[in-house]
Amino acid sequence: MKELDRILNGEESLSMDEPIFDVAQLAHVELLTPDLEGTLCFLKDLLGMQETERQAGSAYLRGYEEQYHHSLKVTAAPRAGLGHVAWRARSPQALQRRVAAIEATGLGRGWIDGDVGHGPAYRFETPEGHRMELLWDVDYFTASAGQKTPLRNRPQKRPRSGVPVRRIDHLNLLAANPGTVRDFLVDILGFRERERVVSDDDGSVVASFLSVTNLSHDIAIVPEPTDMRGRFHHVCFHYISVQHLFDVAELAKEAGIAIEHGPARHGIGGASFLYMPEPGGNRIELMGDPGYMNFDPAWRTVVWKGSEVPAVGAIWTGSPLPDSFWNYGTPPAEERPASPTAASMARA
Amino acid sequence: MKELDRILNGEESLSMDEPIFDVAQLAHVELLTPDLEGTLCFLKDLLGMQETERQAGSAYLRGYEEQYHHSLKVTAAPRAGLGHVAWRARSPQALQRRVAAIEATGLGRGWIDGDVGHGPAYRFETPEGHRMELLWDVDYFTASAGQKTPLRNRPQKRPRSGVPVRRIDHLNLLAANPGTVRDFLVDILGFRERERVVSDDDGSVVASFLSVTNLSHDIAIVPEPTDMRGRFHHVCFHYISVQHLFDVAELAKEAGIAIEHGPARHGIGGASFLYMPEPGGNRIELMGDPGYMNFDPAWRTVVWKGSEVPAVGAIWTGSPLPDSFWNYGTPPAEERPASPTAASMARA
Amino acid sequence: MKELDRILNGEESLSMDEPIFDVAQLAHVELLTPDLEGTLCFLKDLLGMQETERQAGSAYLRGYEEQYHHSLKVTAAPRAGLGHVAWRARSPQALQRRVAAIEATGLGRGWIDGDVGHGPAYRFETPEGHRMELLWDVDYFTASAGQKTPLRNRPQKRPRSGVPVRRIDHLNLLAANPGTVRDFLVDILGFRERERVVSDDDGSVVASFLSVTNLSHDIAIVPEPTDMRGRFHHVCFHYISVQHLFDVAELAKEAGIAIEHGPARHGIGGASFLYMPEPGGNRIELMGDPGYMNFDPAWRTVVWKGSEVPAVGAIWTGSPLPDSFWNYGTPPAEERPASPTAASMARA
Amino acid sequence: MKELDRILNGEESLSMDEPIFDVAQLAHVELLTPDLEGTLCFLKDLLGMQETERQAGSAYLRGYEEQYHHSLKVTAAPRAGLGHVAWRARSPQALQRRVAAIEATGLGRGWIDGDVGHGPAYRFETPEGHRMELLWDVDYFTASAGQKTPLRNRPQKRPRSGVPVRRIDHLNLLAANPGTVRDFLVDILGFRERERVVSDDDGSVVASFLSVTNLSHDIAIVPEPTDMRGRFHHVCFHYISVQHLFDVAELAKEAGIAIEHGPARHGIGGASFLYMPEPGGNRIELMGDPGYMNFDPAWRTVVWKGSEVPAVGAIWTGSPLPDSFWNYGTPPAEERPASPTAASMARA
């Protein structure tokens, strides 16, 4: 267990090379839903999200503090799951550097001309098949006359419907081998690993929480309990107060939407949260206050033993997470088509 | 007024050069106080700050979520004011690059071997004489047995005294010519200007809010109403909720400490806040929720006309700021010694 | 000043007679508005109030936790002001006893058969001409199919519009001689005086805060700065959190509605609050958390000197109340018709 | 099931007799603890309660907003559990009337001269052996010089330790036959039943929530899962915000105190809450916001089917209550002495 002690004490060697700062932020996430109208009703009426545009089976939404055209694309599909994740580079030069690095791994899938709301993007996959893209050129949201606000740093008025979220915060993906995905994000894209869960037995990576920003994580990778690939755990939107979690939980309860867990507070990341499935089946996290932020440029990864996670890491204050949290992802396992090929096609 | 329109519309040319990412964060601030014990009592009993060390007329403090030895140094002095501000570079290489850039401006003051809690630091001044330093090497805080917490990402237990702050957030300085200080921070240190206030008459810079992080600002520069130099407006510490502002305001009120303003919400930055003078006379800001954060790597500076600031920019929700907010800084003007030379010496 | 000391020390003689418990609660308030549609838009879109019925120039509204047909009646009128205030007795017997007591004072105005939402009511006036009624028989609200909630103790679902208030809390009236109104409420109706403001000079009553419930006050009487009679200061609706005050303040600000003061915390009563004029001109108070409650059946009136009120009694934490708070009531003085007779008719 | 429908629809006959208003409030609770120092450390350091006096194995405590000498008496004893509950009458006359009524039931145990902090009290037992007393004469708390506050309606300054509770709110007792205890409280003492849980099978009373105040309940009676008598479920203290629940939960967690459940929100009563065992083993509830209040003098008892309680009545928003909530009371069943006689003596 010397190796585990070494890891827990943060004694891994720190490279003296200059770090990579080429990825700036999570730009948007695409969710697939078998119930487009139900999903949109949830996002708009309960979470107060704004629909910017609708085209060809997809709707584009944003929180009221967001500057871009959208942070969430919702696409009608036979089953729930992740469409793709888009990251924005820090500069055109940074984009070129990262594309070159991705291409060298063989995980690149080539450029697209753009999509609604953004320009050229380079597509790639994680080692476990999650579809991602990297881009620089984005469209900004323009408020209509009725949405304009005298608050110059806010793109539009605060909505009067539901309990409105402010912005996208992070996403969470399932992986059979979280360490492999973590290595790809760290080595090729320049993410920093803020927290990690390791096996009590051998110190191998069980889960990883990484960011390119000052947030505790922009992305998390957690263990896949089935033999499916590329599955989605949740996407998180941000409020500013635990009060908002209680407020939206009431609306959800009275709308007949199940609350999976919360309001409670995570140990890892430290944020207050609420988990709910949207009508299409994808898990949505809502964050009250953001927990801690990290500013230390030499941040030493916080390492947890797997045995500590249920009682402290996953839940710092509140009740234990239910089994569904550890087992459920989208597409759901029970709806899994017979052949992996079909599954892969369904996601396409 | 074409120029003003152009500025308000964010049509200033955006350089295609790669941006500088060499400064990582606000590391610590040194405050001078004529009432060391009073200041420490305020910081420890009301704000729950932790004293790490005391040496030679200075005490070193931190919030309970902070990883480093200290974020605040408090030094006994004949009058209140700013001692110095320390920024941490992103890497040793980044530190060297910025030192070279500062030296070229003639504002460099040379290296020191270090101070309690950190290693070598390069000293410099802003164009208006605020003393700053840039460093890489910092000491980390180590919790005593009684302070240790099972929450692995938190350096110590949450204190049980007062309403404890979590971490330093930003500082605010007075300048006769805020634009000159802004240019220095942007061009030489690589800060991004997030928001700016300009004269209704000619578009000249009245105030500037800048950050190197995803926070809305790590530093603000506001107009100096006297002919003094290098004065201090406030330093801000972070909570997570407006409730904490009301809680600490009650403790302050019952301790006989005046509340200058708040709880209320700023337009610029969007944070909820409370202003109080500490017993030594320096203004302290406490922040509830953090307002908006910026992740856009091509963030277009939000520009306000000076005439908009009192009712919207400074106060988004709440009552107008009192005159003292616009006029009071430390050292206080009324205690100003007869000659500028003496004043400058007193600060040395 | 012995008399003042005696009052401040609560040494007034306490009657050993059994107290009166005949009035149970504030049942509803009628506001007059010159802008019925504007007022209703404010109440419904911003405060999430529910319109139960509209008849003959009046709309009837309630908060989503309220059991009765309405707690607020809004009536179109040439100018803003108070229509009437209705109190509910504790029992039919209690109603009869209080009617007899009122009749003995000469302030009774006789029975009406009822109004929309309630049965027979006995009308009377305070010594300063505020129109009131006392009743027992009320109609209960019945939720429509879409409003029904599984939460059996809540009459309807929480609304999804604006930041919805829960229930009426209290009202505040202006009086040339607050002591006379206070005596009427205490001696004839059985209110308990929870807090009182007295003149620094002679101990005479400047303001009085009274309740029949465990709330800190169901009604307040404050000084009338003009020679008008029967004027209205504000009616207050209840949330549960200071966060809700900040949330609704943002909506108001972006809707172009001025915030008169707050969020802040009162000394008297101890509640957190926000004051806003509704579009018709009447002042509305919104309460976050409720401050203290009183359960002591021998509660000794808390007595303040007038000189203490501005800095502690009116504002415990927050900034000083603006002059308008002390001077503005409805109908507004500036719109006052030439003769008192006309004014009195306008209110009729 | 006609009977059940009738009960659920609130169609029970309402007496036209005048109601009893003779009990004013919950005055204090006595807890027994096998770990007096541990219990006091919890109450004082975590909950910021104030110790007024200590005498003969008992400590007397109060929240900082409470006017009386104490609201909680803690007494060293071989095992945890309820000592007694004290209610304050509305007047000396009301006290005499209720004593006469109790005496007629045979449950009276006679007068005591008084105890630390109050005068003569009449002792009695509920039909299931919970020890109670009724009193009029109470001592008021007097602040020391250092505790005095300029806020005249607050008995002392807000404490600076832990997350300080404001006042006692309610208590909860276990009973083999909750309906019998309910009938005693309603018929003899004049409590109003605000909410009731009935058997899905036969409509018999499973649990009852009653108050003499505007609170949703001053006392609750829930089912006893063992054959023990007179057991205690919890006592509740009041904050004003869900934020306080999260704050105190962190302190508890880091002090090694288990959180049984919460923060979450009840359906019955509607309050936000947190449950923790104190070191002596008694369950303590902390309440954030208070949920709904009832002002209706003809309040119709809200009736729940037992099957609805786990998912809606007990938990409105949050995760399901753990089994311990339904099974654990003090004295704990596992420590139960061999003979009922011994148990009864231990409580004496």
Side-chain angles (χ1 to χ4, degrees):
Chain A
M1 285 302 87
K2 254 197 178 155
E3 174 65 13
L4 182 56
D5 283 350
R6 203 180 57 76
I7 292 170
L8 291 170
N9 292 329
E11 288 164 18
E12 294 170 295
S13 63
L14 194 72
S15 157
M16 274 299 87
D17 286 347
E18 281 209 69
I20 303 166
F21 296 115
D22 285 347
V23 179
Q25 66 171 140
L26 174 61
H28 61 258
V29 167
E30 181 190 15
L31 289 185
L32 308 180
T33 174
D35 177 7
L36 182 61
E37 287 315 309
T39 298
L40 291 177
C41 173
F42 174 91
L43 295 169
K44 291 157 69 175
D45 291 357
L46 244 72
L47 306 191
M49 293 192 80
Q50 309 292 297
E51 185 174 333
T52 320
E53 198 162 343
R54 197 180 299 206
Q55 264 198 35
S58 292
Y60 297 81
L61 299 107
R62 43 181 283 291
Y64 70 97
E65 271 195 354
E66 292 181 310
Q67 307 281 350
Y68 302 163
H69 177 273
H70 66 277
S71 63
L72 188 67
K73 177 181 179 180
V74 183
T75 298
R79 77 199 57 208
L82 175 71
H84 74 280
V85 183
W87 304 98
R88 190 171 181 208
R90 277 204 196 254
S91 65
Q93 299 91 332
L95 174 58
Q96 296 307 328
R97 278 192 297 267
R98 284 316 104 207
V99 168
I102 296 166
E103 280 184 336
T105 66
L107 290 164
R109 295 294 173 264
W111 287 91
I112 58 167
D113 283 346
D115 189 4
V116 176
H118 65 84
Y122 185 79
R123 291 201 165 163
F124 61 98
E125 289 188 11
T126 68
E128 298 224 359
H130 309 93
R131 300 175 67 172
M132 296 191 170
E133 61 190 35
L134 194 61
L135 50 77
W136 166 251
D137 191 19
V138 296
D139 293 348
Y140 286 80
F141 166 77
T142 308
S144 67
Q147 288 173 311
K148 279 207 194 318
T149 166
L151 193 61
R152 287 183 177 270
N153 50 19
R154 182 179 283 180
Q156 64 158 103
K157 285 184 188 169
R158 179 186 178 117
R160 293 190 194 175
S161 56
V163 181
V165 297
R166 293 176 177 249
R167 59 167 174 82
I168 199 169
D169 192 87
H170 69 265
L171 88 160
N172 184 315
L173 301 176
L174 294 162
N177 190 340
T180 308
V181 179
R182 192 257 331 235
D183 290 348
F184 173 76
L185 293 169
V186 170
D187 296 341
I188 308 304
L189 295 179
F191 279 73
R192 277 112 190 104
E193 187 180 46
R194 306 306 184 179
E195 307 202 31
R196 185 196 314 160
V197 182
V198 298
S199 159
D200 285 60
D201 295 331
D202 59 9
S204 63
V205 178
V206 171
S208 181
F209 301 80
L210 309 104
S211 72
V212 289
T213 65
N214 298 122
L215 300 180
S216 73
H217 53 293
D218 298 315
I219 186 168
I221 312 294
V222 298
E224 167 63 72
T226 73
D227 60 355
M228 295 171 76
R229 285 185 93 232
R231 288 211 302 162
F232 173 78
H233 195 270
H234 69 261
V235 63
C236 178
F237 294 94
H238 195 77
Y239 288 122
I240 55 167
S241 158
V242 292
Q243 184 60 50
H244 295 126
L245 300 181
F246 279 94
D247 290 349
V248 78
E250 283 195 27
L251 293 189
K253 189 107 178 184
E254 293 188 316
I257 293 165
I259 293 169
E260 186 183 25
H261 202 68
R265 183 176 297 288
H266 284 305
I268 293 173
S272 57
F273 70 90
L274 178 72
Y275 287 110
M276 296 192 286
E278 51 85 18
N282 296 295
R283 183 186 284 106
I284 304 294
E285 182 178 15
L286 298 168
M287 184 183 281
D289 59 82
Y292 78 87
M293 295 183 65
N294 59 70
F295 300 97
D296 181 354
W299 179 264
R300 294 174 298 184
T301 304
V302 173
V303 184
W304 302 79
K305 286 188 282 187
S307 57
E308 297 170 319
V309 168
V312 181
I315 293 294
W316 178 236
T317 62
S319 302
L321 283 163
D323 287 348
S324 61
F325 183 81
W326 307 108
N327 292 322
Y328 180 82
T330 45
E334 57 270 32
E335 295 176 20
R336 196 190 166 197
S339 81
T341 312
S344 145
M345 283 171 60
R347 282 199 308 277
Chain B
M1 284 303 87
K2 254 197 182 158
E3 173 68 10
L4 182 56
D5 283 347
R6 203 181 56 78
I7 293 170
L8 291 169
N9 292 329
E11 290 164 17
E12 292 169 298
S13 63
L14 193 71
S15 158
M16 273 300 88
D17 286 346
E18 280 209 69
I20 303 166
F21 296 115
D22 285 346
V23 178
Q25 67 171 139
L26 175 60
H28 61 256
V29 167
E30 182 189 17
L31 290 185
L32 308 179
T33 174
D35 177 7
L36 183 61
E37 287 315 310
T39 299
L40 291 177
C41 172
F42 173 90
L43 295 169
K44 290 158 69 175
D45 292 358
L46 244 71
L47 305 191
M49 292 193 80
Q50 309 291 297
E51 186 174 333
T52 320
E53 198 161 343
R54 197 179 300 205
Q55 264 197 36
S58 291
Y60 297 81
L61 299 107
R62 43 181 283 292
Y64 70 97
E65 270 195 354
E66 291 181 311
Q67 306 281 351
Y68 303 163
H69 177 274
H70 66 277
S71 62
L72 189 65
K73 177 181 179 179
V74 183
T75 298
R79 78 197 57 208
L82 175 70
H84 75 280
V85 183
W87 304 97
R88 191 172 181 207
R90 276 204 197 251
S91 65
Q93 298 91 330
L95 175 59
Q96 296 307 327
R97 278 193 296 268
R98 284 316 103 206
V99 168
I102 298 166
E103 280 184 335
T105 66
L107 289 164
R109 295 295 174 265
W111 287 91
I112 58 166
D113 284 346
D115 190 3
V116 176
H118 65 84
Y122 185 79
R123 292 200 163 164
F124 61 97
E125 289 188 10
T126 69
E128 296 226 358
H130 309 93
R131 298 175 65 173
M132 295 192 172
E133 61 191 33
L134 194 60
L135 50 77
W136 165 252
D137 190 19
V138 296
D139 294 347
Y140 285 80
F141 166 75
T142 308
S144 67
Q147 289 172 312
K148 279 207 193 320
T149 166
L151 193 60
R152 286 183 178 270
N153 50 18
R154 182 180 282 180
Q156 65 157 103
K157 285 183 187 169
R158 180 184 177 120
R160 293 190 194 174
S161 57
V163 181
V165 296
R166 294 176 177 249
R167 59 168 176 79
I168 199 168
D169 193 87
H170 68 266
L171 88 161
N172 184 316
L173 301 176
L174 295 161
N177 190 340
T180 309
V181 179
R182 192 251 340 226
D183 291 346
F184 173 76
L185 293 169
V186 170
D187 297 339
I188 308 304
L189 295 179
F191 279 74
R192 276 114 191 103
E193 187 180 45
R194 307 306 184 178
E195 307 203 30
R196 186 196 312 160
V197 182
V198 299
S199 160
D200 285 59
D201 297 330
D202 59 10
S204 63
V205 180
V206 172
S208 181
F209 301 79
L210 311 102
S211 72
V212 288
T213 65
N214 299 122
L215 299 180
S216 73
H217 54 295
D218 299 313
I219 186 168
I221 312 294
V222 297
E224 168 63 74
T226 73
D227 59 355
M228 296 171 75
R229 285 186 92 234
R231 288 211 303 163
F232 173 79
H233 195 270
H234 69 261
V235 64
C236 177
F237 295 93
H238 195 75
Y239 288 122
I240 54 168
S241 159
V242 292
Q243 184 59 51
H244 295 127
L245 300 181
F246 279 94
D247 289 348
V248 77
E250 283 195 27
L251 293 189
K253 189 105 176 184
E254 293 189 316
I257 292 163
I259 293 168
E260 186 184 23
H261 202 68
R265 183 176 298 285
H266 284 305
I268 293 173
S272 58
F273 70 89
L274 178 73
Y275 288 108
M276 295 192 286
E278 51 86 17
N282 295 296
R283 183 186 285 106
I284 305 292
E285 182 179 16
L286 298 168
M287 183 184 282
D289 58 84
Y292 79 87
M293 296 182 64
N294 59 70
F295 300 96
D296 181 354
W299 180 264
R300 295 174 297 185
T301 303
V302 173
V303 184
W304 302 80
K305 285 188 281 186
S307 57
E308 297 170 319
V309 168
V312 181
I315 292 292
W316 177 236
T317 60
S319 302
L321 283 162
D323 287 348
S324 61
F325 183 82
W326 307 108
N327 293 322
Y328 180 82
T330 47
E334 57 271 32
E335 295 175 20
R336 195 189 167 201
S339 83
T341 311
S344 146
M345 281 172 62
R347 280 200 308 277
Chain C
M1 285 304 88
K2 254 199 181 155
E3 174 67 9
L4 181 56
D5 284 348
R6 202 181 56 76
I7 293 171
L8 291 172
N9 292 329
E11 289 166 16
E12 293 169 294
S13 64
L14 194 70
S15 157
M16 274 300 87
D17 286 346
E18 280 209 69
I20 303 165
F21 296 114
D22 285 347
V23 179
Q25 66 172 140
L26 174 59
H28 61 257
V29 168
E30 182 189 16
L31 289 185
L32 309 179
T33 174
D35 177 7
L36 183 60
E37 288 315 309
T39 299
L40 291 177
C41 173
F42 174 90
L43 296 169
K44 291 158 68 176
D45 292 357
L46 244 71
L47 306 191
M49 292 193 80
Q50 308 292 298
E51 186 174 333
T52 320
E53 200 162 341
R54 197 180 299 207
Q55 262 197 38
S58 291
Y60 298 81
L61 299 107
R62 42 180 283 291
Y64 70 95
E65 271 194 354
E66 291 181 312
Q67 307 281 349
Y68 302 163
H69 177 273
H70 66 277
S71 63
L72 188 67
K73 178 180 178 180
V74 183
T75 299
R79 76 198 59 207
L82 176 70
H84 74 281
V85 183
W87 304 97
R88 190 170 181 208
R90 277 203 195 253
S91 64
Q93 299 92 330
L95 174 60
Q96 296 306 329
R97 279 193 297 268
R98 284 316 103 204
V99 167
I102 297 166
E103 280 183 336
T105 65
L107 289 165
R109 296 292 175 265
W111 288 92
I112 58 165
D113 284 344
D115 190 3
V116 177
H118 65 85
Y122 185 80
R123 291 200 164 164
F124 61 97
E125 288 188 12
T126 69
E128 297 225 359
H130 309 92
R131 301 175 64 172
M132 295 190 173
E133 61 191 34
L134 194 60
L135 51 79
W136 165 252
D137 191 19
V138 295
D139 294 347
Y140 285 80
F141 166 76
T142 308
S144 66
Q147 288 172 313
K148 279 208 193 318
T149 165
L151 192 60
R152 288 184 178 270
N153 50 18
R154 182 179 283 178
Q156 65 157 102
K157 286 182 188 171
R158 180 186 179 119
R160 293 191 195 173
S161 57
V163 181
V165 297
R166 291 173 179 253
R167 59 168 175 80
I168 198 169
D169 192 88
H170 68 265
L171 88 161
N172 185 315
L173 301 176
L174 294 162
N177 190 339
T180 310
V181 180
R182 192 255 337 231
D183 290 348
F184 172 75
L185 292 169
V186 170
D187 297 340
I188 309 305
L189 295 179
F191 278 74
R192 276 112 190 105
E193 187 180 44
R194 307 305 184 178
E195 307 203 32
R196 186 196 312 158
V197 182
V198 298
S199 160
D200 285 60
D201 296 331
D202 59 9
S204 62
V205 179
V206 172
S208 181
F209 301 80
L210 310 103
S211 72
V212 289
T213 64
N214 299 122
L215 299 180
S216 72
H217 53 294
D218 298 315
I219 185 169
I221 313 296
V222 297
E224 168 61 75
T226 74
D227 59 354
M228 296 170 75
R229 285 187 91 234
R231 288 211 303 162
F232 172 79
H233 195 270
H234 69 261
V235 63
C236 178
F237 295 93
H238 195 76
Y239 289 123
I240 54 168
S241 159
V242 292
Q243 184 60 51
H244 295 127
L245 301 181
F246 278 94
D247 289 348
V248 77
E250 283 194 28
L251 293 189
K253 190 105 176 185
E254 293 188 315
I257 292 164
I259 293 169
E260 187 184 24
H261 202 67
R265 183 175 298 286
H266 284 307
I268 293 173
S272 58
F273 70 89
L274 178 73
Y275 288 110
M276 295 191 289
E278 51 86 16
N282 296 295
R283 183 186 284 106
I284 305 293
E285 182 179 16
L286 298 168
M287 183 183 282
D289 57 83
Y292 79 87
M293 296 183 64
N294 59 70
F295 301 96
D296 181 354
W299 180 265
R300 295 173 298 186
T301 303
V302 173
V303 184
W304 302 80
K305 286 188 282 188
S307 57
E308 296 169 320
V309 168
V312 182
I315 293 293
W316 178 235
T317 61
S319 302
L321 283 162
D323 286 349
S324 61
F325 184 82
W326 308 107
N327 293 322
Y328 180 82
T330 46
E334 57 270 32
E335 296 174 20
R336 194 189 167 197
S339 82
T341 312
S344 146
M345 282 172 61
R347 280 199 309 277
Chain D
M1 284 304 87
K2 254 196 178 157
E3 173 67 10
L4 181 56
D5 283 348
R6 204 181 56 79
I7 293 170
L8 291 170
N9 292 328
E11 289 165 16
E12 294 169 296
S13 63
L14 193 71
S15 157
M16 274 299 87
D17 286 346
E18 280 209 70
I20 304 166
F21 295 114
D22 285 347
V23 178
Q25 67 171 139
L26 174 61
H28 61 258
V29 168
E30 181 189 16
L31 289 185
L32 309 180
T33 174
D35 177 7
L36 183 60
E37 287 315 310
T39 299
L40 291 177
C41 172
F42 174 91
L43 296 168
K44 291 157 69 176
D45 292 358
L46 243 71
L47 306 191
M49 292 194 79
Q50 308 293 297
E51 185 174 333
T52 320
E53 199 161 344
R54 197 180 298 206
Q55 264 196 37
S58 291
Y60 298 82
L61 299 107
R62 43 181 283 290
Y64 70 96
E65 270 194 354
E66 291 182 311
Q67 306 280 349
Y68 303 162
H69 177 272
H70 66 277
S71 62
L72 188 66
K73 177 180 179 180
V74 183
T75 298
R79 77 197 58 207
L82 176 71
H84 74 280
V85 183
W87 304 97
R88 192 173 181 205
R90 277 204 195 253
S91 65
Q93 299 92 330
L95 175 60
Q96 295 307 328
R97 278 193 298 267
R98 284 315 104 206
V99 167
I102 297 166
E103 280 184 335
T105 65
L107 289 165
R109 297 291 175 266
W111 288 93
I112 58 166
D113 283 347
D115 189 4
V116 176
H118 65 84
Y122 185 79
R123 292 199 164 165
F124 60 98
E125 289 188 11
T126 69
E128 296 225 359
H130 309 93
R131 301 176 65 173
M132 295 191 171
E133 62 190 35
L134 194 60
L135 51 77
W136 165 252
D137 191 19
V138 295
D139 293 349
Y140 286 80
F141 166 76
T142 309
S144 67
Q147 289 172 311
K148 278 208 194 320
T149 165
L151 192 59
R152 287 185 178 268
N153 50 19
R154 184 179 282 180
Q156 65 157 102
K157 284 182 188 170
R158 179 186 178 118
R160 293 190 195 175
S161 56
V163 181
V165 297
R166 292 176 178 250
R167 59 167 175 81
I168 199 168
D169 192 88
H170 69 267
L171 88 161
N172 185 314
L173 300 176
L174 294 162
N177 190 340
T180 309
V181 179
R182 191 247 349 221
D183 290 348
F184 173 76
L185 292 168
V186 170
D187 297 340
I188 308 305
L189 295 179
F191 279 73
R192 277 113 189 106
E193 187 180 45
R194 306 306 183 179
E195 306 202 31
R196 186 196 313 158
V197 182
V198 299
S199 160
D200 285 59
D201 295 332
D202 59 9
S204 63
V205 179
V206 172
S208 181
F209 301 79
L210 310 103
S211 73
V212 289
T213 64
N214 299 123
L215 299 181
S216 72
H217 53 294
D218 299 315
I219 185 168
I221 313 295
V222 296
E224 168 63 75
T226 73
D227 60 354
M228 296 172 75
R229 284 185 92 233
R231 289 210 302 162
F232 172 78
H233 195 271
H234 69 261
V235 63
C236 178
F237 294 93
H238 196 76
Y239 288 122
I240 53 167
S241 160
V242 293
Q243 184 60 50
H244 294 127
L245 300 181
F246 279 94
D247 289 349
V248 77
E250 283 195 26
L251 292 188
K253 189 106 177 183
E254 293 189 315
I257 292 164
I259 293 167
E260 187 185 23
H261 203 67
R265 183 175 298 286
H266 284 305
I268 293 174
S272 58
F273 69 90
L274 178 72
Y275 288 110
M276 294 192 288
E278 52 86 15
N282 296 295
R283 182 186 285 105
I284 305 293
E285 182 178 15
L286 298 168
M287 183 182 281
D289 57 84
Y292 78 88
M293 296 184 63
N294 58 71
F295 300 97
D296 180 354
W299 179 264
R300 295 174 297 185
T301 303
V302 174
V303 184
W304 302 79
K305 286 188 282 187
S307 57
E308 296 169 321
V309 168
V312 180
I315 293 294
W316 178 235
T317 62
S319 302
L321 282 162
D323 287 348
S324 61
F325 184 81
W326 307 108
N327 293 320
Y328 180 83
T330 47
E334 57 271 33
E335 295 176 20
R336 195 189 167 200
S339 83
T341 313
S344 146
M345 282 171 61
R347 282 199 306 276

